[in-house]
Amino acid sequence: MNYKRGKVFILLFIFCMVSFFTNDFELINIEKTAIIVAIGIDKAEEGVEISAQIAIPQATNQSTTNEDAILSAKAKTIYGALENISLQTGWYPKLTFCNVIIINKEVINQDFMPIINYFLTTNRIQSSAVLSVCEQKAKEVLSSSTPLDYISSFALQKILLRNIDRTSSVLITNIQDFYSNMLSHSRFGYMPYIKSIQTDDKPKENSGSNSQSSNYENEQKEIVPLSSQSANSGGGQGQGGNTQNEQSTLYDASETLLFSNNKLACAFTSSQTNCYNLLTKPIKECFLSVEYEAEGKKKNTLVSIIENFYKVKLKIENGIPILKVELKIICEKEEETPSSYQEEDKWSILSNDALKALESKLNEDIATLIELSKSSNCDFFMVKEKLYRFEPNHYYKLEKNILQLLDYQIKVECKNHH
Amino acid sequence: MKFENNLQKNIQLFKNVLKSDDIIYYQFSAKQSQFCVIYVDSVTDKNEAGKLVIKAIQEQNITNLEDCQKKLQIPAVEKSLSVTDTITALLQGKTILLGAEKFCLTCDFYSYQMRAVAEPPTSTIVRGPREGFNESIKTNLSLVRRRIKTPDFIVKNFQVGKYSKTQISLCYLSSIAPESLVNDVIAKLSSINIDSVPDSSYISKLIIKRKTSLFKQIGNTEKPDIFSQKLLEGRVGILVDGSPIALTLPYMFVEDFQSSEDYFINNYRANMVRAIRVISLIIAVLLPAIFVSAQLFHLQVIPLNFLLTIVSSIKGIPLSPSFEMFFTLLIFEILNEASVRMPKYVGMALSIVGALVLGDTAVKAGIVSTPTIMIMALSGICLYTAPEVVDSMSVLRLVFLIIAGTLGGYGVIMLATYIIIYLCSLDNFGVPFLAPYAPFISNDLKDSLYMDFVPNMKKRPKVLGSDNKTRMGAKNNEKTN
Amino acid sequence: MKKQIKTGQICAIFIALLPLTKVVCAPSYFAKNCGEKLWQPLIILLLLDLLLLLTCYFIYKKHDNKSFYEILISVYGKPFANGIFILYAIFFFAKTVVPLFEQKIFIENTFYETLPQAPVFYPALIIIFYLALKGLKTFGRTCQIASFITAIGFLLIIFLGIPSADYESLLPLFAFSNKSAPICALTALTYFNDAICLLFFLGSFKAEKKSEFKIFLSYLIPFLCVILFYVTFYGIFDYVALSRKVAISEVGIFSVALINVGRFDHIALFLLALSSIIAVSLPITLSTHCLVQIFGENNRLTISLVLTLMLFGVCVTLSAKYLMVFEFISKYFAPLFVLCGYLLPLLGLGGSNNELQTG
């Protein structure tokens, strides 16, 4: 038996050594892997055009920064476009590191749910990737240079994922959340709306030098090689290379687009995004501007909100659905114009007038939001979902027209931090 | 062969068997009687033999061997009737006194050059005793006797080796060590049939249950303080003449992470150091494998920035990650082996060749990448935090690497599972190898990977099965159950 | 029967292995069938298993720690006992198939993206064979090590998932009756009913102080952790829970720490993969144990080899058809699972202490 066991072990060992040294199971080499960090989706004539932003590591003795390349491909479906990128470059697109998906506004004006559905069902991309809509072409957004980071999608991530620090300026969503909300009883969803702002700030060096896009079409197999990785090539072919310009791009994602029943329903302005965030998640950093009158003078105060306590409940009273919104905020004064020093100022205390003005402003904003929800038939307060969860007895009676019947009660309370 | 009443005939009996030139036959007379002293030249203290035997016989006018036995002031004088036994005793270093009788006398004037008691090179510590065993079993026993002064301390001697007739001493405390264990070891030692025993490792290889196992199944130590402490826990110890390494059994895996210094230093520091040993061993064995498997199969595990750094550093390297790591580890093992064998004078040159030429130049030439060299170095250093397990872990590291390069992370997992199952199935002399974790024995956890304060270790390890359970807090001579 | 296993090791078996086979594809199956009420079939299964534990306790008390095989022989005769144990061998073999396929899916989906369908998973069958060969004593000790690994890995995954979960998605708790709960529980028996293992440990362990209490707790607490996992899973994924193929690897991905640092939850997943091999081995080990009772300890090698080869054959031919296999087993083997899992143990309550029957 020992002799036989020895033979078996020797055979296993030889097999392992052969497979170890050859490593040839059609394994995809790390150097042939395209590490995609962001995807942009634009409308094409037939289907979609995918722009994949690929992080290209530099040899460490040449540069300490990473660069990127934009590869585009068109196809009828997302999967087809990604396969085209793979076929024509020879690189295997690795989507695990893709954290940002930017969709052009033209795409979401048509039926875009198959796109979201693909991203949700494939296990090549994480469901935690952030979704956003952009005003200009997604390819241009990804190709733009920014003073915030060498790679534009990293800059976008900084803005979009600041949400984690509990700021109120951006309404962030990911693939999972969006799709889940769309499938809920409320059937709504939202995405931040990215607008590019051109600035005169100098872009990061080397940025955009490789943001050369090669357009690969289904019919033509025209392969344009990537440019060499020189620092100031300025030779960006195609679109997006901005090294010749001194302008760089910043992003504003404070506006939000809302969807209902798989279609675009309405949009939030920056202040509405702020207000909605105050009602839906704990906030650490939010700034609001408030105008009020005191001692016959008009004053403008910038208020920072330290903490918020919120409750949005649905109650059915006498068959009428009532949305009860309670918001309590702890705030302090940041700045006031015209300024006049008072004893309270050293504690950043807001005056009673300011507090009352803030309360009424928030009251008004919340009421506007609820009215917007009713008018656009976009249930972003998840009233139907709350009806299902908390008032199941009334669900079948009210689910079809609850938004129309909805009444609301708002209670806002503002207090000073000290 | 039997002795006869004739001195010359008796001498001839020996000369017929022993043809070596270093066997000395010294004939002398006292009054009218003739005697002959036979001894091995290289291992006999001739001055003492001359003084206490030859001179004493001549001065006291002793005429026969019976009177010699009564009157000579020599310790351990024994009468021997068998020529074969006498020859064996002679070759073991005894001095033979022949006369014209049908027997002879054997006396012990054994004397030989040996290494002094010094700090063992394999177990250096900062704080604690620094004595170490040497090749003389008598010296080793004396070092143990100095530490255990109780009539319960039993030494049983064996002779093993057809040609070497090596003396082996089995040491144990009769009031602590389980009887079944002692009997089991005695049976195993008695059954050894071998030509010679050059080192105690031969004994350990012959008495263990699984002779082809990669893992050590008998503990060893070069320090008498560790040896005595292990006996006091309920183990048995084996000393082998000619070897400075003493064996202790039963043996458990956690012993490799324990050092004698742990008991002499601050307890917090001791626990920290034990944790470092465990973590270092895991790093040493698994890190090369994990790195290779992550590069080949599991890119998503590596954070993006780190991945980009790795990809940038492996750009242009002609070898596959697995072969690169294998090659680097092989170079390390070659350097390791050469540094042990190399004469001291060229050691410095070798270090320069190893570090600069192989390490730095290989990276600059683009043959291997920087992360690989770093991981190889880290793994190599971490392996030596627990020097007892270097043998098995260095082999295991290569096996893990081969599996990782073949099957990836899941291959590493499967191999780790196999090893855990294998170790769980290993028993040494009735004691599970992975005790006190599998089976879980809460009492024994006080001195395992975690070390409790010494005053709290009131009980002996339960897994060793000793009836005498309490080692602290019991009254003198009280056996507590 | 020789005392091969200790009470602590039985507890470790439950702690180490109970959660693992239930958190791969089963959560999405439960979400698909029961929606937000996926906890209801779990409660049904828990209650059934606790009853089974109670049954085993009464059997133990009644027959003074004899093994189940010895009890059946003494009460019903040897041919009957052999028949029952062959049935149990088939039962345990069938219980291995679906969890094994799911492990394959878990490994290939979670860890291997750039590798095509290569035989990465199949060497795990060697481990399964080895463990079945070694027997209960080694199995118990291995589980004591695995229990630490499972606890660390599983709790880490749950802690990563809890902050991202919205438990309100489980509401309403009792409105809108859930008729599919019992059916879901019945068809999911391939994952559950681990308490049956205790029946086969009877006679192999020496009861210590408060053994019953320890075993009960060691079954209850992991099961509650499984329920917590399911509700957290649903709380995270809500309406898309039914599309999540491998629940255990997706629960932690929304954690803030992962977004900042990287997928360090893979460390927990690797640890759980280690324990999962042992979890999948348990039914085959028990199947081997059943056949060894009939054919003798000398044939353990042959029996475990044959069972592993059969499992290998099933894996190679059918692993690409997981859904078909799952439907087949959950539909056609459900009566066998109910019979062997909950009804046949009642046979142990028959007869009285030390009753002998010549068969």
Side-chain angles (χ1 to χ4, degrees):
Chain A
M1 188 61 194
N2 280 340
Y3 179 60
K4 280 185 196 163
R5 199 195 298 174
K7 262 193 184 170
V8 167
F9 273 119
I10 287 169
L11 280 169
L12 269 174
F13 176 72
I14 291 170
F15 171 74
C16 280
M17 291 305 275
V18 165
S19 52
F20 174 73
F21 284 110
T22 55
N23 255 158
D24 189 13
F25 309 126
E26 301 170 17
L27 191 61
I28 295 159
N29 198 337
I30 191 174
E31 293 185 48
K32 289 271 174 67
T33 306
I35 300 168
I36 296 176
V37 292
I39 285 180
I41 305 171
D42 293 306
K43 194 176 169 190
E45 285 145 14
E46 282 179 16
V48 291
E49 182 183 0
I50 298 279
S51 305
Q53 185 168 51
I54 298 164
I56 300 174
Q58 291 301 301
T60 45
N61 57 354
Q62 289 176 24
S63 162
T64 55
T65 64
N66 294 314
E67 298 192 5
D68 64 317
I70 309 285
L71 291 177
S72 300
K74 293 178 188 170
K76 283 187 182 157
T77 62
I78 301 282
Y79 176 75
L82 288 168
E83 283 304 296
N84 279 344
I85 290 177
S86 171
L87 281 170
Q88 289 164 23
T89 60
W91 282 9
Y92 176 82
K94 190 146 182 79
L95 293 161
T96 325
F97 298 101
C98 177
N99 281 332
V100 176
I101 298 171
I102 306 170
I103 310 174
N104 180 249
K105 198 174 172 184
E106 287 175 16
V107 175
I108 59 155
N109 283 335
Q110 57 196 33
D111 184 18
F112 64 97
M113 285 308 287
I115 296 173
I116 311 295
N117 188 48
Y118 169 76
F119 287 130
L120 184 75
T121 49
T122 183
N123 54 5
R124 289 169 69 181
I125 192 168
Q126 311 270 24
S127 310
S128 55
V130 166
L131 284 173
S132 52
V133 181
C134 59
E135 190 183 30
Q136 56 185 140
K137 288 201 88 167
K139 200 195 313 188
E140 282 171 22
V141 172
L142 292 177
S143 306
S144 59
S145 52
T146 157
L148 296 175
D149 207 297
Y150 297 101
I151 297 178
S152 56
S153 65
F154 287 179
L156 278 167
Q157 277 184 58
K158 282 178 185 167
I159 294 163
L160 295 171
L161 291 175
R162 270 190 79 219
N163 181 64
I164 291 160
D165 298 329
R166 297 200 286 167
T167 59
S168 66
S169 50
V170 179
L171 209 55
I172 186 173
T173 190
N174 55 41
I175 300 168
Q176 199 302 104
D177 279 343
F178 185 85
Y179 203 84
S180 182
N181 286 338
M182 276 297 192
L183 290 180
S184 68
H185 293 94
S186 296
R187 297 187 65 78
F188 97 104
Y190 56 82
M191 290 191 212
Y193 187 44
I194 295 174
K195 287 180 171 171
S196 302
I197 306 165
Q198 300 297 321
T199 72
D200 292 330
D201 293 332
K202 203 175 166 188
K204 287 271 192 201
E205 273 187 25
N206 299 337
S207 66
S209 63
N210 280 331
S211 47
Q212 166 191 357
S213 60
S214 310
N215 289 320
Y216 297 102
E217 309 223 0
N218 274 344
E219 294 82 24
Q220 298 168 20
K221 289 198 179 175
E222 188 186 304
I223 298 169
V224 181
L226 294 169
S227 68
S228 61
Q229 294 159 13
S230 54
N232 296 308
S233 65
Q237 293 179 21
Q239 300 160 8
N242 282 341
T243 47
Q244 289 173 333
N245 306 336
E246 287 196 4
Q247 275 195 326
S248 59
T249 314
L250 293 174
Y251 307 107
D252 173 24
S254 58
E255 288 181 21
T256 312
L257 296 181
L258 291 112
F259 305 86
S260 179
N261 291 309
N262 302 344
K263 285 183 202 157
L264 182 62
C266 58
F268 280 167
T269 59
S270 308
S271 61
Q272 284 173 333
T273 304
N274 259 337
C275 185
Y276 185 76
N277 270 325
L278 282 171
L279 292 173
T280 49
K281 63 176 198 216
I283 299 292
K284 256 188 178 173
E285 192 184 289
C286 173
F287 297 97
L288 293 174
S289 178
V290 140
E291 271 183 21
Y292 67 100
E293 241 184 69
E295 296 163 356
K297 287 183 192 166
K298 266 196 181 168
K299 290 194 175 181
N300 200 320
T301 306
L302 186 67
V303 176
S304 82
I305 296 173
I306 313 290
E307 225 171 331
N308 64 322
F309 303 96
Y310 56 91
K311 266 187 215 169
V312 181
K313 282 187 178 172
L314 178 73
K315 290 282 178 200
I316 309 293
E317 287 171 7
N318 301 322
I320 297 170
I322 300 176
L323 189 68
K324 293 188 176 180
V325 179
E326 287 176 31
L327 179 64
K328 179 181 167 185
I329 58 172
I330 313 292
C331 47
E332 61 180 22
K333 183 165 71 175
E334 290 293 323
E335 214 177 38
E336 190 170 68
T337 51
S339 63
S340 59
Y341 182 76
Q342 289 185 6
E343 189 61 32
E344 296 88 23
D345 284 347
K346 73 177 177 196
W347 301 109
S348 304
I349 291 175
L350 287 159
S351 61
N352 285 337
D353 292 332
L355 285 173
K356 278 190 186 148
L358 184 59
E359 280 173 9
S360 83
K361 178 182 165 33
L362 284 171
N363 216 314
E364 208 178 295
D365 285 346
I366 294 169
T368 312
L369 279 180
I370 299 173
E371 290 299 334
L372 178 63
S373 169
K374 290 172 76 169
S375 60
S376 61
N377 202 28
C378 180
D379 185 12
F380 48 79
F381 281 110
M382 305 207 52
V383 174
K384 277 187 198 165
E385 189 65 28
K386 286 178 175 34
L387 179 69
Y388 178 80
R389 289 180 187 178
F390 300 106
E391 301 284 349
N393 298 332
H394 301 274
Y395 178 74
Y396 290 118
K397 244 191 301 178
L398 294 171
E399 57 139 344
K400 286 197 174 120
N401 54 354
I402 187 168
L403 280 179
Q404 284 75 43
L405 298 170
L406 187 70
D407 198 358
Y408 52 90
Q409 288 172 8
I410 303 170
K411 184 181 166 192
V412 178
E413 195 185 334
C414 300
K415 280 190 170 166
N416 272 305
H417 184 45
H418 297 288
Chain B
M1 283 185 292
K2 285 183 182 171
F3 288 107
E4 295 186 35
N5 286 333
N6 184 305
L7 177 63
Q8 295 307 318
K9 282 186 181 169
N10 285 340
I11 291 171
Q12 195 55 46
L13 282 173
F14 283 86
K15 283 187 177 175
N16 289 342
V17 177
L18 300 165
K19 295 183 170 64
S20 179
D21 289 343
D22 66 337
I23 310 286
I24 309 297
Y25 299 84
Y26 181 75
Q27 292 188 50
F28 65 97
S29 55
K31 246 193 172 171
Q32 275 143 25
S33 303
Q34 293 284 319
F35 295 97
C36 179
V37 170
I38 309 174
Y39 59 92
V40 179
D41 190 20
S42 45
V43 297
T44 304
D45 187 349
K46 294 182 276 288
N47 286 337
E48 285 295 301
K51 210 167 46 176
L52 294 174
V53 174
I54 299 167
K55 196 174 171 189
I57 289 173
Q58 286 171 339
E59 279 175 1
Q60 292 177 51
N61 293 324
I62 294 170
T63 53
N64 58 59
L65 287 181
E66 289 283 359
D67 287 342
C68 285
Q69 195 176 8
K70 286 175 199 165
K71 292 179 183 174
L72 287 182
Q73 291 169 353
I74 312 164
V77 174
E78 283 174 9
K79 196 169 169 180
S80 178
L81 297 166
S82 157
V83 176
T84 315
D85 289 345
T86 310
I87 289 171
T88 308
L90 171 68
L91 292 170
Q92 283 177 345
K94 295 213 168 151
T95 303
I96 310 300
L97 181 61
L98 278 181
E101 276 95 352
K102 282 190 178 178
F103 65 94
C104 69
L105 294 179
T106 62
C107 333
D108 197 353
F109 293 107
Y110 197 40
S111 165
Y112 51 89
Q113 297 300 314
M114 63 181 145
R115 199 162 52 91
V117 172
E119 185 174 20
T122 54
S123 328
T124 49
I125 53 171
V126 174
R127 187 170 169 172
R130 306 244 174 106
E131 284 177 331
F133 289 133
N134 65 11
E135 283 74 5
S136 164
I137 197 171
K138 286 195 176 7
T139 312
N140 296 342
L141 275 169
S142 72
L143 290 170
V144 179
R145 281 269 180 208
R146 267 180 46 214
R147 285 165 172 83
I148 303 178
K149 302 174 182 100
T150 167
D152 294 339
F153 179 57
I154 310 290
V155 176
K156 275 199 159 37
N157 290 328
F158 298 85
Q159 237 180 47
V160 174
K162 206 161 67 173
Y163 295 103
S164 66
K165 306 254 189 272
T166 308
Q167 188 187 337
I168 291 176
S169 296
L170 174 68
C171 310
Y172 62 94
L173 280 132
S174 59
S175 55
I176 298 174
E179 210 179 307
S180 57
L181 172 66
V182 173
N183 293 337
D184 197 5
V185 176
I186 289 173
K188 288 212 153 64
L189 287 174
S190 308
S191 66
I192 295 175
N193 184 359
I194 192 172
D195 278 354
S196 81
V197 180
D199 184 67
S200 57
S201 56
Y202 268 61
I203 301 294
S204 70
K205 283 169 185 157
L206 289 169
I207 66 174
I208 53 175
K209 205 161 76 171
R210 296 207 198 183
K211 295 182 180 13
T212 53
S213 174
L214 176 63
F215 295 90
K216 195 167 85 165
Q217 290 165 71
I218 289 188
N220 54 43
T221 180
E222 267 191 272
K223 301 193 74 182
D225 55 297
I226 298 175
F227 187 81
S228 339
Q229 286 304 309
K230 292 217 184 283
L231 295 186
L232 287 164
E233 282 183 347
R235 291 182 175 83
V236 302
I238 298 174
L239 294 168
V240 176
D241 191 31
S243 172
I245 313 280
L247 306 175
T248 57
L249 52 107
Y251 167 75
M252 292 179 284
F253 190 56
V254 290
E255 288 179 48
D256 285 330
F257 300 96
Q258 296 166 344
S259 160
S260 59
E261 198 176 0
D262 295 345
Y263 302 91
F264 308 136
I265 58 174
N266 182 295
N267 199 62
Y268 300 105
R269 169 75 186 162
N271 277 307
M272 191 177 100
V273 167
R274 280 195 187 180
I276 286 171
R277 284 184 206 128
V278 174
I279 293 167
S280 299
L281 203 63
I282 294 170
I283 290 173
V285 173
L286 292 181
L287 188 62
I290 289 171
F291 183 70
V292 164
S293 68
Q295 268 190 278
L296 286 174
F297 301 92
H298 315 297
L299 294 177
Q300 67 271 22
V301 176
I302 308 173
L304 178 62
N305 288 332
F306 187 34
L307 178 64
L308 293 174
T309 309
I310 291 172
V311 175
S312 67
S313 51
I314 66 169
K315 264 189 176 177
I317 303 291
L319 306 170
S320 70
S322 42
F323 189 65
E324 188 192 343
M325 185 63 76
F326 185 83
F327 173 71
T328 322
L329 277 175
L330 191 64
I331 298 291
F332 181 82
E333 293 293 341
I334 291 170
L335 274 172
N336 196 14
E337 188 60 22
S339 64
V340 169
R341 312 272 165 243
M342 190 73 69
K344 261 189 278 186
Y345 313 104
V346 296
M348 177 86 83
L350 184 75
S351 315
I352 295 168
V353 164
L356 290 178
V357 173
L358 292 173
D360 192 43
T361 316
V363 171
K364 284 183 181 155
I367 298 172
V368 293
S369 62
T370 325
T372 306
I373 295 284
M374 202 180 75
I375 281 168
M376 179 273 293
L378 185 62
S379 170
I381 293 165
C382 286
L383 198 58
Y384 285 91
T385 53
E388 300 290 328
V389 286
V390 167
D391 299 343
S392 40
M393 294 300 148
S394 57
V395 174
L396 216 50
R397 176 173 59 179
L398 279 174
V399 176
F400 267 107
L401 177 63
I402 290 167
I403 295 291
T406 312
L407 296 173
Y410 195 59
V412 171
I413 294 292
M414 284 191 281
L415 183 59
T417 312
Y418 173 77
I419 288 167
I420 289 173
I421 297 168
Y422 174 77
L423 293 178
C424 285
S425 68
L426 216 52
D427 273 354
N428 298 303
F429 297 93
V431 171
F433 190 71
L434 287 185
Y437 294 103
F440 189 79
I441 304 167
S442 52
N443 172 68
D444 295 359
L445 291 175
K446 286 185 181 170
D447 189 16
S448 57
L449 295 178
Y450 161 77
M451 195 184 116
D452 201 351
F453 292 89
V454 168
N456 293 344
M457 296 185 202
K458 292 191 164 67
K459 302 269 183 196
R460 285 182 229 285
K462 200 169 153 189
V463 70
L464 295 173
S466 170
D467 287 334
N468 187 342
K469 290 186 176 27
T470 306
R471 58 180 163 185
M472 209 186 295
K475 287 183 189 161
N476 282 345
N477 298 323
E478 187 183 292
K479 219 185 199 186
T480 52
N481 291 326
Chain C
M1 193 174 184
K2 213 165 110 178
K3 302 286 178 261
Q4 301 176 53
I5 201 168
K6 296 187 179 179
T7 309
Q9 288 170 347
I10 295 175
C11 297
I13 288 172
F14 287 142
I15 293 170
L17 308 183
L18 193 154
L20 296 171
T21 49
K22 299 162 186 55
V23 294
V24 184
C25 301
S28 60
Y29 176 72
F30 275 61
K32 184 178 159 193
N33 283 298
C34 302
E36 68 272 6
K37 293 179 183 37
L38 79 174
W39 53 272
Q40 287 179 359
L42 289 171
I43 298 292
I44 295 171
L45 289 161
L46 174 63
L47 291 172
L48 283 172
D49 277 353
L50 291 179
L51 276 173
L52 184 56
L53 283 178
L54 208 60
T55 308
C56 294
Y57 170 72
F58 284 129
I59 294 173
Y60 164 77
K61 281 284 179 203
K62 185 167 183 163
H63 293 279
D64 194 27
N65 205 13
K66 265 200 226 168
S67 73
F68 188 49
Y69 188 63
E70 285 164 357
I71 294 167
L72 289 177
I73 289 176
S74 65
V75 177
Y76 304 103
K78 194 159 184 182
F80 184 78
N82 285 350
I84 295 293
F85 264 56
I86 287 176
L87 201 60
Y88 268 109
I90 298 168
F91 162 72
F92 283 120
F93 185 87
K95 262 181 88 69
T96 312
V97 174
V98 168
L100 188 72
F101 282 20
E102 287 183 0
Q103 282 308 307
K104 189 168 184 292
I105 291 169
F106 165 47
I107 299 305
E108 286 174 357
N109 279 8
T110 308
F111 300 132
Y112 295 91
E113 190 193 314
T114 54
L115 189 68
Q117 296 297 310
V120 169
F121 181 73
Y122 295 119
L125 290 165
I126 300 175
I127 311 290
I128 293 173
F129 161 69
Y130 186 61
L131 208 42
L133 183 64
K134 286 290 169 184
L136 282 182
K137 183 166 106 173
T138 304
F139 198 93
R141 287 187 196 169
T142 309
C143 287
Q144 281 184 307
I145 304 282
S147 58
F148 294 113
I149 296 170
T150 304
I152 294 168
F154 198 71
L155 290 175
L156 181 64
I157 294 284
I158 288 186
F159 286 139
L160 285 174
I162 283 176
S164 321
D166 175 20
Y167 292 103
E168 285 183 0
S169 56
L170 296 164
L171 297 172
L173 285 177
F174 298 109
F176 308 115
S177 67
N178 184 19
K179 287 175 191 160
S180 54
I183 299 167
C184 184
L186 180 69
T187 49
L189 278 175
T190 186
Y191 303 112
F192 292 85
N193 185 224
D194 295 306
I196 192 68
C197 306
L198 188 59
L199 193 66
F200 295 86
F201 296 147
L202 289 177
S204 301
F205 73 98
K206 189 178 160 190
E208 295 152 19
K209 244 192 314 185
K210 295 187 189 171
S211 290
E212 313 90 14
F213 183 65
K214 285 182 196 167
I215 292 174
F216 172 76
L217 265 189
S218 64
Y219 195 87
L220 181 66
I221 291 173
F223 206 110
L224 292 176
C225 288
V226 168
I227 295 177
L228 177 62
F229 178 87
Y230 274 58
V231 301
T232 304
F233 170 73
Y234 197 83
I236 293 170
F237 291 102
D238 209 340
Y239 294 98
V240 298
L242 53 96
S243 70
R244 302 289 90 193
K245 229 190 294 187
V246 181
I248 187 75
S249 59
E250 306 221 23
V251 157
I253 62 172
F254 298 100
S255 164
V256 169
L258 258 67
I259 292 166
N260 289 335
V261 174
R263 292 295 303 266
F264 70 86
D265 65 324
H266 270 75
I267 299 170
L269 292 174
F270 274 116
L271 291 177
L272 291 177
L274 192 154
S275 299
S276 295
I277 302 176
I278 303 166
V280 165
S281 310
L282 176 61
I284 282 290
T285 305
L286 289 173
S287 185
T288 308
H289 178 77
C290 290
L291 293 173
V292 158
Q293 298 289 297
I294 300 170
F295 297 111
E297 190 65 41
N298 295 336
N299 293 315
R300 182 178 278 276
L301 173 63
T302 316
I303 290 167
S304 40
L305 190 62
V306 165
L307 287 172
T308 312
L309 286 172
M310 281 167 59
L311 205 55
F312 177 68
V314 167
C315 225
V316 164
T317 48
L318 293 174
S319 62
K321 301 178 179 114
Y322 162 72
L323 282 172
M324 186 192 88
V325 169
F326 176 74
E327 271 180 39
F328 180 80
I329 287 187
S330 58
K331 199 169 162 187
Y332 296 105
F333 277 76
L336 177 68
F337 290 149
V338 172
L339 177 69
C340 292
Y342 299 108
L343 298 176
L344 287 182
L346 298 170
L347 289 173
L349 293 170
S352 58
N353 275 359
N354 301 320
E355 182 175 346
L356 289 169
Q357 258 197 14
T358 50

